């Protein structure tokens, strides 16, 4: 199985060495787990499986620490063409309001445009009110309801 692609940018949005995916993945694991505590014990294996399905990771590092992470992928849909889907976009809770989220969104949007995507989309839990304010400020709008029915744990 191939390793997931991990790209790292600095606080100004400049790409850092893209050849250190395994180290970058390990350095971002704690922040990602803070946001997604349900990830199993084999973080790298799980992310590699996502990578095999087209997912990629973008990290922002500043002062030697991973401050923000996004997991994204593209796919073709009947309702909006080529979709750039952001699975996760998280900034360290202690590092919010420093521009990291906006830098990440700008980089993700540029990547989506370069990949000729028709829409950049993300889902956000209804309880994440502060995140919603951030998305609205950055010109993302609510365009649909996202319905879900768990199929495990019955």
């Amino acid at each position: 199985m191939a390793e997931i692609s991990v790209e790292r940018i600095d606080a100004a949005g400049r790409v850092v060495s893209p050849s250190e995916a395994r180290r970058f993945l390990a350095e971002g694991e704690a922040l990602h787990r803070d946001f997604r505590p349900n990830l199993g014990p084999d973080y790298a294996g799980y992310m590699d499986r996502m990578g095999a399905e087209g997912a990629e990771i973008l990290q922002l590092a500043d002062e030697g620490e991973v401050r923000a992470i996004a997991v994204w992928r593209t796919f073709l849909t009947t309702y909006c063409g080529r979709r750039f889907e952001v699975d996760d976009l998280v900034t360290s809770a202690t590092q919010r309001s420093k521009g990291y989220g906006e830098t990440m969104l700008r980089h993700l949007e540029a990547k989506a445009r370069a990949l000729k995507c028709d829409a950049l989309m993300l889902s956000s839990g209804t309880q994440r009110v502060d995140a919603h304010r951030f998305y609205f400020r950055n010109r993302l709008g609510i365009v649909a309801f996202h319905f879900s029915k768990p199929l495990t744990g019955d």
Side-chain angles (χ1 to χ4, degrees):
M1 174 184 321
E3 295 178 354
I4 191 165
S5 170
V6 182
E7 178 182 29
R8 184 173 282 184
I9 59 175
D10 64 16
R14 294 179 300 253
V15 175
V16 180
S17 172
S19 62
E20 301 179 61
R22 284 333 252 189
R23 181 173 66 86
F24 290 167
L25 186 66
E27 290 174 357
E29 181 178 354
L31 173 58
H32 202 186
R33 283 185 179 282
D34 282 348
F35 185 65
R36 296 282 185 219
N38 61 318
L39 293 172
D42 183 11
Y43 176 75
Y46 190 89
M47 298 313 295
D48 285 343
R49 288 191 302 281
M50 287 186 69
E53 294 181 6
E56 298 191 35
I57 296 175
L58 175 67
Q59 296 179 343
L60 184 147
D62 192 22
E63 299 176 349
E65 298 288 329
V66 177
R67 305 295 192 193
I69 294 176
V71 178
W72 64 272
R73 64 185 86 218
T74 68
F75 52 96
L76 195 59
T77 68
T78 58
Y79 63 93
C80 72
R82 171 92 21 219
R83 177 176 175 160
F84 189 98
E85 177 74 20
V86 179
D87 288 3
D88 296 335
L89 176 58
V90 62
T91 300
S92 173
T94 62
Q95 300 296 316
R96 295 203 176 120
S97 299
K98 294 185 177 184
Y100 298 141
E102 289 179 8
T103 298
M104 291 286 283
L105 271 179
R106 280 193 310 271
H107 196 83
L108 291 165
E109 183 177 340
K111 188 172 287 296
R113 289 181 186 282
L115 292 169
K116 306 289 187 228
C117 293
D118 300 295
L120 182 149
M121 299 183 155
L122 60 83
S123 296
S124 180
T126 56
Q127 78 283 4
R128 298 191 66 229
V129 177
D130 290 340
H132 303 162
R133 281 191 210 94
F134 169 77
Y135 299 140
F136 289 140
R137 275 195 317 271
N138 283 277
R139 301 180 52 215
L140 282 82
I142 299 171
V143 298
F145 289 106
H146 180 99
F147 293 94
S148 178
K149 180 179 182 180
L151 300 176
T152 58
D154 291 340

